[in-house]
Amino acid sequence: MLRGLYSAASGMFSLERRQETLSNNLANAQTPGFKKDDTVMRAFPKLLIERIQDFTENIPGTSNLQIPGQGVRVGELTNGVYAQERIPSFTQGTFVQSDLPLDVAIEDQNIPLQMVNGRTVKPAAFFAVELPDGTIGYTRNGKWDLDANGNLVTSEGYRVLGADHKPIQITGSIQKEDLNINAEGQLIAKTNDPTKTTNLGQIGIVIVQNPYDLTRQGNNVYKSENPLPFMQDNGGANPGVSLHQGFIEQSNVDLGQTMTDMMTTVRAYEANQKVIGAYNQSLEQLYSVGKMNG
Protein backbone atom coordinates (compact mmCIF):
# COMPACT_ATOMS: atom_id res chain seq x y z
CA MET A 1 0.00 0.00 0.00
CA LEU A 2 2.81 2.39 0.87
CA ARG A 3 4.30 1.83 -2.56
CA GLY A 4 1.15 3.35 -4.01
CA LEU A 5 1.63 6.40 -1.80
CA TYR A 6 5.21 6.77 -2.98
CA SER A 7 4.18 6.47 -6.64
CA ALA A 8 1.45 9.10 -6.29
CA ALA A 9 3.77 11.44 -4.38
CA SER A 10 6.52 11.11 -6.99
CA GLY A 11 3.95 11.96 -9.65
CA MET A 12 2.96 15.10 -7.77
CA PHE A 13 6.57 16.23 -7.39
CA SER A 14 7.24 15.65 -11.09
CA LEU A 15 4.08 17.46 -12.17
CA GLU A 16 4.97 20.38 -9.91
CA ARG A 17 8.33 20.75 -11.67
CA ARG A 18 6.62 20.49 -15.06
CA GLN A 19 4.17 23.21 -14.05
CA GLU A 20 7.07 25.45 -12.99
CA THR A 21 8.65 25.00 -16.42
CA LEU A 22 5.40 25.79 -18.21
CA SER A 23 4.87 28.85 -16.02
CA ASN A 24 8.36 30.11 -16.86
CA ASN A 25 7.67 29.59 -20.57
CA LEU A 26 4.40 31.49 -20.28
CA ALA A 27 6.04 34.36 -18.37
CA ASN A 28 8.61 34.75 -21.17
CA ALA A 29 6.19 34.44 -24.07
CA GLN A 30 6.86 38.09 -24.97
CA THR A 31 10.63 38.00 -24.37
CA PRO A 32 12.48 38.47 -27.68
CA GLY A 33 14.48 35.41 -28.70
CA PHE A 34 13.39 33.31 -25.70
CA LYS A 35 13.59 29.54 -26.16
CA LYS A 36 11.06 27.43 -24.29
CA ASP A 37 11.98 24.47 -22.08
CA ASP A 38 10.38 21.04 -22.28
CA THR A 39 10.29 18.82 -19.18
CA VAL A 40 11.33 15.22 -19.69
CA MET A 41 9.42 12.77 -17.47
CA ARG A 42 11.08 9.43 -16.78
CA ALA A 43 9.87 6.37 -14.92
CA PHE A 44 11.90 4.92 -12.09
CA PRO A 45 13.35 1.47 -12.91
CA LYS A 46 10.74 -1.25 -12.67
CA LEU A 47 11.08 -4.11 -10.19
CA LEU A 48 10.37 -7.72 -11.11
CA ILE A 49 8.30 -9.48 -8.45
CA GLU A 50 8.56 -13.23 -8.02
CA ARG A 51 6.89 -15.53 -5.52
CA ILE A 52 9.26 -18.01 -3.82
CA GLN A 53 8.72 -20.85 -1.30
CA ASP A 54 5.58 -21.45 -3.22
CA PHE A 55 4.37 -24.70 -1.63
CA THR A 56 4.44 -26.79 1.56
CA GLU A 57 5.29 -30.50 1.48
CA ASN A 58 4.68 -33.02 4.27
CA ILE A 59 7.78 -35.06 5.09
CA PRO A 60 7.31 -38.23 7.22
CA GLY A 61 8.52 -37.82 10.77
CA THR A 62 8.44 -34.05 10.67
CA SER A 63 5.85 -31.37 10.96
CA ASN A 64 4.83 -29.49 7.90
CA LEU A 65 8.11 -28.33 6.45
CA GLN A 66 8.20 -25.49 3.97
CA ILE A 67 10.52 -26.29 1.08
CA PRO A 68 11.57 -23.56 -1.33
CA GLY A 69 10.03 -24.06 -4.72
CA GLN A 70 10.65 -22.54 -8.10
CA GLY A 71 10.24 -18.81 -8.42
CA VAL A 72 6.89 -17.86 -9.91
CA ARG A 73 6.75 -14.54 -11.72
CA VAL A 74 4.04 -12.28 -10.31
CA GLY A 75 4.63 -9.23 -12.47
CA GLU A 76 6.38 -5.88 -12.61
CA LEU A 77 6.21 -3.16 -9.98
CA THR A 78 6.31 0.45 -11.17
CA ASN A 79 7.81 2.95 -8.74
CA GLY A 80 6.48 6.21 -10.13
CA VAL A 81 8.06 8.93 -12.24
CA TYR A 82 10.45 11.84 -11.88
CA ALA A 83 11.23 14.98 -13.85
CA GLN A 84 14.70 14.19 -15.13
CA GLU A 85 15.66 17.44 -16.87
CA ARG A 86 14.58 20.49 -18.77
CA ILE A 87 15.49 20.45 -22.44
CA PRO A 88 15.34 23.75 -24.35
CA SER A 89 13.78 23.91 -27.78
CA PHE A 90 15.95 25.95 -30.17
CA THR A 91 13.40 26.20 -32.95
CA GLN A 92 13.32 29.65 -34.51
CA GLY A 93 10.61 32.05 -33.39
CA THR A 94 8.44 34.21 -35.62
CA PHE A 95 9.93 37.46 -36.93
CA VAL A 96 8.01 40.66 -36.19
CA GLN A 97 8.84 43.88 -37.99
CA SER A 98 9.57 46.82 -35.68
CA ASP A 99 11.42 49.14 -38.11
CA LEU A 100 13.75 50.17 -35.27
CA PRO A 101 17.38 50.50 -36.45
CA LEU A 102 18.84 48.57 -33.50
CA ASP A 103 16.42 45.64 -33.62
CA VAL A 104 18.15 42.65 -35.23
CA ALA A 105 16.95 39.07 -35.74
CA ILE A 106 19.04 36.02 -36.65
CA GLU A 107 17.78 33.67 -39.32
CA ASP A 108 19.55 30.30 -39.08
CA GLN A 109 17.09 27.86 -40.61
CA ASN A 110 19.45 27.18 -43.52
CA ILE A 111 22.37 25.98 -41.40
CA PRO A 112 23.15 22.41 -42.48
CA LEU A 113 22.55 19.61 -40.00
CA GLN A 114 25.52 18.14 -38.14
CA MET A 115 26.34 14.69 -36.77
CA VAL A 116 27.18 14.88 -33.05
CA ASN A 117 28.00 11.62 -31.26
CA GLY A 118 26.20 9.66 -33.93
CA ARG A 119 23.04 11.79 -33.77
CA THR A 120 21.75 14.43 -36.15
CA VAL A 121 21.66 17.85 -34.46
CA LYS A 122 20.48 21.21 -35.79
CA PRO A 123 23.11 23.89 -35.00
CA ALA A 124 21.93 27.29 -33.81
CA ALA A 125 23.34 30.81 -34.19
CA PHE A 126 23.64 33.29 -31.31
CA PHE A 127 24.79 36.83 -30.66
CA ALA A 128 27.85 37.06 -28.42
CA VAL A 129 27.60 39.42 -25.44
CA GLU A 130 29.90 40.40 -22.61
CA LEU A 131 28.52 39.51 -19.18
CA PRO A 132 29.19 41.60 -16.03
CA ASP A 133 31.88 39.12 -14.86
CA GLY A 134 33.80 39.53 -18.11
CA THR A 135 32.84 36.15 -19.56
CA ILE A 136 31.02 35.63 -22.86
CA GLY A 137 27.34 34.76 -23.05
CA TYR A 138 25.17 33.81 -25.99
CA THR A 139 21.69 35.15 -26.67
CA ARG A 140 19.05 35.37 -29.38
CA ASN A 141 17.70 38.64 -28.02
CA GLY A 142 18.38 41.20 -30.74
CA LYS A 143 16.51 44.13 -29.17
CA TRP A 144 19.41 46.54 -28.61
CA ASP A 145 20.12 50.13 -27.70
CA LEU A 146 23.06 52.46 -27.04
CA ASP A 147 24.19 53.20 -23.49
CA ALA A 148 25.63 56.49 -22.24
CA ASN A 149 29.10 55.56 -23.55
CA GLY A 150 27.87 54.64 -27.02
CA ASN A 151 28.16 50.88 -26.44
CA LEU A 152 25.72 48.63 -28.24
CA VAL A 153 23.87 46.82 -25.44
CA THR A 154 21.03 44.34 -25.04
CA SER A 155 17.85 45.14 -23.11
CA GLU A 156 19.54 43.60 -20.02
CA GLY A 157 22.54 45.92 -20.38
CA TYR A 158 25.03 43.35 -21.73
CA ARG A 159 27.48 44.78 -24.25
CA VAL A 160 27.25 43.26 -27.72
CA LEU A 161 30.54 41.90 -29.01
CA GLY A 162 31.87 42.43 -32.50
CA ALA A 163 33.65 40.01 -34.80
CA ASP A 164 36.94 41.14 -33.19
CA HIS A 165 35.67 39.85 -29.78
CA LYS A 166 35.47 43.42 -28.45
CA PRO A 167 32.37 45.43 -27.47
CA ILE A 168 30.87 47.44 -30.31
CA GLN A 169 31.00 51.17 -29.61
CA ILE A 170 29.38 53.89 -31.69
CA THR A 171 31.38 57.09 -31.26
CA GLY A 172 31.14 60.60 -32.61
CA SER A 173 27.93 62.24 -33.74
CA ILE A 174 26.48 59.09 -35.31
CA GLN A 175 22.83 58.58 -34.43
CA LYS A 176 20.91 55.32 -34.27
CA GLU A 177 18.91 56.33 -37.31
CA ASP A 178 22.15 56.58 -39.32
CA LEU A 179 23.07 52.93 -38.76
CA ASN A 180 22.51 50.21 -41.29
CA ILE A 181 23.10 46.52 -40.50
CA ASN A 182 23.32 44.23 -43.51
CA ALA A 183 22.70 40.49 -43.70
CA GLU A 184 26.36 39.70 -42.84
CA GLY A 185 26.22 41.84 -39.71
CA GLN A 186 28.28 44.76 -41.01
CA LEU A 187 27.47 48.06 -39.25
CA ILE A 188 27.53 50.86 -41.82
CA ALA A 189 26.88 54.48 -40.83
CA LYS A 190 25.75 57.31 -43.06
CA THR A 191 27.85 60.45 -43.24
CA ASN A 192 27.17 64.05 -44.17
CA ASP A 193 28.29 63.15 -47.65
CA PRO A 194 25.46 61.01 -49.13
CA THR A 195 27.98 59.28 -51.40
CA LYS A 196 30.12 58.02 -48.51
CA THR A 197 29.56 55.64 -45.60
CA THR A 198 31.61 54.51 -42.60
CA ASN A 199 32.15 50.87 -41.65
CA LEU A 200 31.90 50.57 -37.87
CA GLY A 201 32.68 46.85 -37.64
CA GLN A 202 30.76 43.61 -37.70
CA ILE A 203 28.46 41.94 -35.19
CA GLY A 204 29.97 38.84 -33.59
CA ILE A 205 27.96 35.68 -34.30
CA VAL A 206 28.57 32.26 -32.78
CA ILE A 207 27.31 29.05 -34.37
CA VAL A 208 26.86 26.34 -31.75
CA GLN A 209 27.11 22.93 -33.36
CA ASN A 210 25.29 21.26 -30.47
CA PRO A 211 23.18 23.89 -28.68
CA TYR A 212 22.09 21.33 -26.07
CA ASP A 213 25.56 21.63 -24.55
CA LEU A 214 24.75 25.22 -23.52
CA THR A 215 23.64 26.09 -20.00
CA ARG A 216 20.87 28.62 -19.37
CA GLN A 217 22.10 31.43 -17.13
CA GLY A 218 18.98 33.55 -16.83
CA ASN A 219 18.12 36.86 -18.51
CA ASN A 220 17.77 34.99 -21.79
CA VAL A 221 21.50 34.19 -21.91
CA TYR A 222 23.33 30.87 -22.34
CA LYS A 223 26.90 29.96 -21.47
CA SER A 224 29.36 27.32 -22.62
CA GLU A 225 31.97 25.50 -20.56
CA ASN A 226 34.59 26.42 -23.16
CA PRO A 227 34.68 29.65 -25.23
CA LEU A 228 33.19 29.10 -28.67
CA PRO A 229 34.74 30.48 -31.87
CA PHE A 230 32.98 33.27 -33.69
CA MET A 231 31.66 32.60 -37.15
CA GLN A 232 33.99 35.29 -38.50
CA ASP A 233 37.03 33.48 -37.05
CA ASN A 234 36.71 30.94 -39.85
CA GLY A 235 37.36 33.36 -42.66
CA GLY A 236 33.97 35.05 -42.38
CA ALA A 237 32.05 32.09 -43.80
CA ASN A 238 28.29 32.48 -43.71
CA PRO A 239 26.85 28.93 -43.49
CA GLY A 240 23.16 29.71 -43.79
CA VAL A 241 23.04 32.62 -41.31
CA SER A 242 21.66 36.06 -42.11
CA LEU A 243 20.64 39.08 -40.04
CA HIS A 244 17.50 41.15 -40.49
CA GLN A 245 17.56 44.76 -39.31
CA GLY A 246 14.31 46.21 -38.07
CA PHE A 247 12.95 42.82 -37.01
CA ILE A 248 12.59 41.06 -33.65
CA GLU A 249 12.51 37.31 -33.18
CA GLN A 250 9.66 36.43 -30.88
CA SER A 251 9.86 33.60 -28.37
CA ASN A 252 9.00 30.14 -29.66
CA VAL A 253 6.41 29.62 -26.91
CA ASP A 254 3.02 28.50 -28.22
CA LEU A 255 0.57 30.23 -25.88
CA GLY A 256 -2.40 27.98 -26.69
CA GLN A 257 -0.42 24.76 -26.31
CA THR A 258 1.22 25.99 -23.11
CA MET A 259 -2.14 26.83 -21.51
CA THR A 260 -3.50 23.43 -22.52
CA ASP A 261 -0.45 21.67 -21.05
CA MET A 262 -0.82 23.62 -17.81
CA MET A 263 -4.47 22.59 -17.41
CA THR A 264 -3.59 18.97 -18.18
CA THR A 265 -0.83 19.08 -15.57
CA VAL A 266 -3.18 20.50 -12.93
CA ARG A 267 -5.72 17.75 -13.56
CA ALA A 268 -3.06 15.05 -13.32
CA TYR A 269 -1.84 16.62 -10.07
CA GLU A 270 -5.37 16.56 -8.67
CA ALA A 271 -5.75 12.90 -9.69
CA ASN A 272 -2.63 12.02 -7.70
CA GLN A 273 -4.02 13.97 -4.75
CA LYS A 274 -7.18 11.84 -4.84
CA VAL A 275 -5.08 8.68 -4.92
CA ILE A 276 -3.21 9.79 -1.81
CA GLY A 277 -6.50 10.70 -0.17
CA ALA A 278 -7.87 7.22 -0.85
CA TYR A 279 -4.77 5.58 0.61
CA ASN A 280 -5.01 7.86 3.63
CA GLN A 281 -8.58 6.78 4.31
CA SER A 282 -7.59 3.12 4.02
CA LEU A 283 -4.74 3.60 6.48
CA GLU A 284 -7.06 5.37 8.93
CA GLN A 285 -9.52 2.46 8.77
CA LEU A 286 -6.69 -0.04 9.21
CA TYR A 287 -5.43 1.87 12.21
CA SER A 288 -8.92 1.96 13.74
CA VAL A 289 -9.38 -1.79 13.28
CA GLY A 290 -5.97 -2.51 14.78
CA LYS A 291 -6.70 -0.25 17.73
CA MET A 292 -10.02 -1.99 18.41
CA ASN A 293 -8.44 -5.46 18.24
CA GLY A 294 -5.51 -4.35 20.39
Side-chain angles (χ1 to χ4, degrees):
M1 180 180 293
L2 293 179
R3 289 195 181 99
L5 280 173
Y6 296 149
S7 296
S10 68
M12 293 177 68
F13 285 129
S14 301
L15 291 168
E16 183 177 355
R17 291 194 62 185
R18 185 168 190 262
Q19 191 76 339
E20 290 174 355
T21 302
L22 292 170
S23 299
N24 184 62
N25 291 341
L26 189 63
N28 288 280
Q30 301 301 321
T31 301
F34 178 80
K35 302 303 177 186
K36 68 176 182 178
D37 285 327
D38 296 321
T39 305
V40 177
M41 309 285 279
R42 306 268 187 196
F44 285 109
K46 295 181 180 180
L47 300 178
L48 180 62
I49 303 176
E50 289 188 350
R51 187 170 65 241
I52 62 175
Q53 296 182 344
D54 193 49
F55 59 89
T56 301
E57 183 177 345
N58 292 326
I59 298 178
T62 65
S63 60
N64 290 342
L65 180 64
Q66 193 173 38
I67 301 177
Q70 296 294 325
V72 178
R73 179 173 295 185
V74 176
E76 293 180 339
L77 175 65
T78 303
N79 291 306
V81 299
Y82 66 101
Q84 183 184 34
E85 58 184 338
R86 294 180 179 180
I87 298 181
S89 172
F90 290 99
T91 57
Q92 186 168 286
T94 304
F95 287 0
V96 175
Q97 188 170 0
S98 65
D99 291 327
L100 297 177
L102 294 183
D103 284 355
V104 185
I106 298 182
E107 183 178 359
D108 60 357
Q109 293 300 299
N110 296 323
I111 299 179
L113 299 177
Q114 301 289 334
M115 292 296 296
V116 179
N117 297 327
R119 300 178 60 184
T120 302
V121 178
K122 178 69 169 63
F126 294 85
F127 298 115
V129 296
E130 184 181 58
L131 302 180
D133 59 359
T135 59
I136 297 178
Y138 310 101
T139 182
R140 296 280 295 201
N141 184 359
K143 190 169 185 60
W144 300 337
D145 204 346
L146 297 177
D147 64 8
N149 298 319
N151 294 305
L152 193 61
V153 296
T154 67
S155 53
E156 291 81 17
Y158 304 141
R159 293 193 293 181
V160 180
L161 297 179
D164 57 356
H165 298 240
K166 297 179 181 179
I168 298 175
Q169 190 174 35
I170 310 300
T171 58
S173 59
I174 299 175
Q175 303 297 318
K176 292 186 290 185
E177 294 74 15
D178 298 330
L179 293 175
N180 178 51
I181 302 174
N182 62 20
E184 287 73 34
Q186 296 284 348
L187 286 100
I188 301 172
K190 301 176 184 178
T191 63
N192 295 329
D193 186 348
T195 62
K196 297 181 180 180
T197 57
T198 302
N199 192 331
L200 302 177
Q202 189 175 10
I203 297 171
I205 300 173
V206 174
I207 298 178
V208 185
Q209 300 300 326
N210 186 7
Y212 299 103
D213 288 339
L214 298 176
T215 303
R216 191 188 291 274
Q217 295 296 305
N219 291 329
N220 206 10
V221 170
Y222 296 88
K223 290 192 69 175
S224 173
E225 291 186 3
N226 301 310
L228 300 174
F230 286 21
M231 182 183 73
Q232 294 85 352
D233 295 341
N234 300 321
N238 186 7
V241 178
S242 61
L243 302 187
H244 298 268
Q245 184 182 21
F247 287 83
I248 284 294
E249 180 189 3
Q250 291 186 316
S251 71
N252 61 357
V253 177
D254 187 329
L255 290 176
Q257 185 63 48
T258 302
M259 293 296 293
T260 300
D261 291 342
M262 292 181 72
M263 289 187 290
T264 302
T265 302
V266 169
R267 289 169 183 163
Y269 189 91
E270 292 174 346
N272 280 282
Q273 280 183 317
K274 293 179 181 179
V275 170
I276 291 180
Y279 275 114
N280 185 50
Q281 292 179 359
S282 298
L283 288 174
E284 288 180 353
Q285 294 175 1
L286 183 62
Y287 174 76
S288 300
V289 171
K291 189 175 182 181
M292 292 175 56
N293 295 334

